[in-house]
């Protein structure tokens, strides 16, 4: 009973869904206001989802409907588990999970993998191009993300355990400096993970329609959108855990800090999305190979040297 | 780049340039907006004149159901002009987005009476009389309560 409450109410489904939807709506509203538009209401993602649930499924010819619905459903379950293994206030005291960052990293990759599989499975040329692009991008930004995670988990000192809770509790002056240095890398890798504007290469609108999700419709598309909202909630709160003293204060203030951090991250995203245009795949890989991955590695080495002297 | 970000941030505190859609309220458009047809089942005689005149095939009758497809309707008002009983009316009501296709289908039931002898559905006699006399009738003669076939059987012309 207690577990079901966790799974469906507070750190689980409802919390992730509402937070993700509000973040997406907030981002769209901010983006519109920066372009002097009025923008949709903040609750627009929920309207979209509820409307999609009522729509008919139009699927390509000769494709099994079981697989069509299973592919988007698997990452939904994975992301729910991903929410459960984050040390949210009011939840982390009673939880028996170990808040493993590697597990969170792995579970948040599943939506993208499912989209790639869906793109190839749906037999659509747009889907295949989108899936191929997503598959190529995957290696670059995850390199940076792994560097950021590794740098942060060096902060706690040996034995290194990749535990999110101990990263969130590391607040020495040197730790703060290193954390601030890793913020741009985190933002860039999450931008690419969420396929936001300078890196919206896999689902480039007006170019390859909706990328891997071109053939998704009805409940399947609703599930993909739900996955996206849950991902937004996870990355927003991950930002707060990394860079704000969430677990150092009382649980209520910690929760408020998580929300503030998440909304601040999406403010940055709205700014970056408006200020940049979509890159080509070659420009993207050059940016990551020439600048971001070497710099992230440099910070990792510097951190290791400082921590072991 | 820095200049652009500066513009974006200052834009946040400006008023949006969006101009509101003028036809948001019905009052603003009442003078020019004709609206969409609605059907009144109790005045319909199922004569199918509206189906005959409709240029866009938006109306059809299935059994006793009268169906208007608002997706096809061009609001030309030919049906309302042709209807002898005033069963088609135009109401200036705005229609917006809908969740399903059925929301654009207006389905009403045609209220027909049954012949007293054989039970065959037929239009209301007071409708026909009203059309004939120009005013609603006080009493309805008994032969009008029968369908045309039965009428010929019982009241043979001498």
């Amino acid at each position: 009973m207690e577990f079901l409450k966790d799974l469906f109410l507070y750190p689980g489904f409802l919390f992730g869904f509402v937070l993700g939807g509000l973040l997406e709506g907030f981002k769209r509203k901010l983006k519109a206001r920066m372009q002097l538009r009025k923008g949709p209401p903040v609750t627009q993602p929920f309207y979209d989802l509820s409307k999609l649930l009522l729509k008919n499924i139009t699927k390509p010819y000769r494709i099994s409907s079981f697989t069509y619905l299973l592919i988007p459903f698997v990452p939904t379950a994975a992301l729910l588990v991903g929410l459960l293994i984050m040390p949210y206030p009011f939840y982390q005291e009673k939880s028996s999970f170990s808040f493993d960052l590697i597990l969170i990293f792995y579970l948040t990759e599943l939506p993208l993998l499912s989209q790639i599989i869906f793109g190839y499975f749906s037999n659509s040329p747009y889907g295949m191009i989108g899936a191929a692009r997503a598959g190529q991008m995957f290696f670059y930004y995850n390199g940076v993300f792994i560097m950021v995670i590794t740098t942060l988990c060096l902060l706690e000192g040996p034995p290194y355990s990749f535990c999110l809770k101990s990263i969130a509790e590391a607040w020495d002056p040197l730790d703060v400096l290193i954390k601030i240095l890793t913020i741009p890398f985190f933002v860039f890798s999450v931008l690419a993970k969420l396929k936001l504007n300078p890196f919206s290469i896999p689902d480039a609108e007006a170019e390859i329609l909706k990328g891997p999700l071109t053939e998704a419709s009805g409940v399947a598309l609703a599930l993909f959108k739900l996955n996206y909202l849950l991902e937004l909630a996870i990355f927003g709160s991950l930002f707060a855990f990394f860079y704000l003293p969430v677990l150092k204060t009382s649980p209520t203030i910690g929760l408020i800090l998580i929300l503030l951090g998440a909304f601040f991250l999406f403010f940055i995203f709205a700014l970056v999305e408006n200020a940049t245009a979509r890159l080509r795949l070659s420009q993207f890989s050059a940016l990551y190979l020439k600048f971001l991955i070497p710099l992230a590695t440099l910070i990792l080495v510097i951190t290791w040297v400082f921590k072991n002297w | 780049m820095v200049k652009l970000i500066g513009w974006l941030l200052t834009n946040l505190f400006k008023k949006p340039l969006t101009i509101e859609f003028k036809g948001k309220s019905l009052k603003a458009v009442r003078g020019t907006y004709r609206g969409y047809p609605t059907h009144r089942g109790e005045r319909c005689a199922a004569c199918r004149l509206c189906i005959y005149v409709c240029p866009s095939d938006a109306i059809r009758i299935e059994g006793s159901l009268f169906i208007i497809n608002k997706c096809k309707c061009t609001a030309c008002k030919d049906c309302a002009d042709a209807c002898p009983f005033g069963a088609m009316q135009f109401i200036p009501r705005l229609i917006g987005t809908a969740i399903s296709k059925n929301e654009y289908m207006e389905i009403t039931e045609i209220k027909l009476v049954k012949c007293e002898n054989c039970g065959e559905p037929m239009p209301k006699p007071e409708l026909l009389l009203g059309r004939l006399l120009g005013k609603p009738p006080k009493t309805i003669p008994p032969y009008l309560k029968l369908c045309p076939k039965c009428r010929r059987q019982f009241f043979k012309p001498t």
Side-chain angles (χ1 to χ4, degrees), chain A residues 75 148 193 216:
Chain A
V148 171
K193 253 176 195 285

Side-chain angles (χ1 to χ4, degrees), chain B residues 8-28:
Chain B
L8 291 174
L9 287 178
T10 47
N11 278 353
L12 264 183
F13 301 100
K14 283 185 188 167
K15 230 181 151 188
L17 288 176
T18 315
I19 302 167
E20 289 281 324
F21 173 48
K22 269 190 181 168
K24 199 178 178 185
S25 67
L26 204 59
K27 267 184 194 167

Side-chain angles (χ1 to χ4, degrees), chain A residues 8-34:
Chain A
F8 287 108
L9 288 179
Y10 170 48
F13 179 75
L14 191 72
F15 176 74
F17 175 56
V18 172
L19 178 61
L22 288 181
L23 285 174
E24 168 78 357
F26 174 73
K27 198 196 76 194
R28 282 172 72 174
K29 188 90 188 168
L30 266 186
K31 233 176 115 179
R33 291 305 304 272
M34 284 176 187

Side-chain angles (χ1 to χ4, degrees), chain A residues 13 23 38 51 62 71 100 126 155 158 199 223:
Chain A
F13 179 75
L23 285 174
K38 212 169 177 189
K51 195 172 169 181
R62 274 196 294 192
I71 292 177
D100 192 355
Y126 299 116
L155 296 181
F199 311 125
L223 279 173

Side-chain angles (χ1 to χ4, degrees), chain A residues 81-107:
Chain A
V81 179
L83 280 168
L84 280 188
I85 53 177
M86 309 260 275
Y88 283 106
F90 297 116
Y91 166 73
Q92 50 125 345
E93 298 89 357
K94 60 180 181 179
S95 165
S96 54
F97 286 111
S98 61
F99 312 123
D100 192 355
L101 248 180
I102 294 184
L103 193 53
I104 294 173
F105 168 70
Y106 161 71
L107 290 173

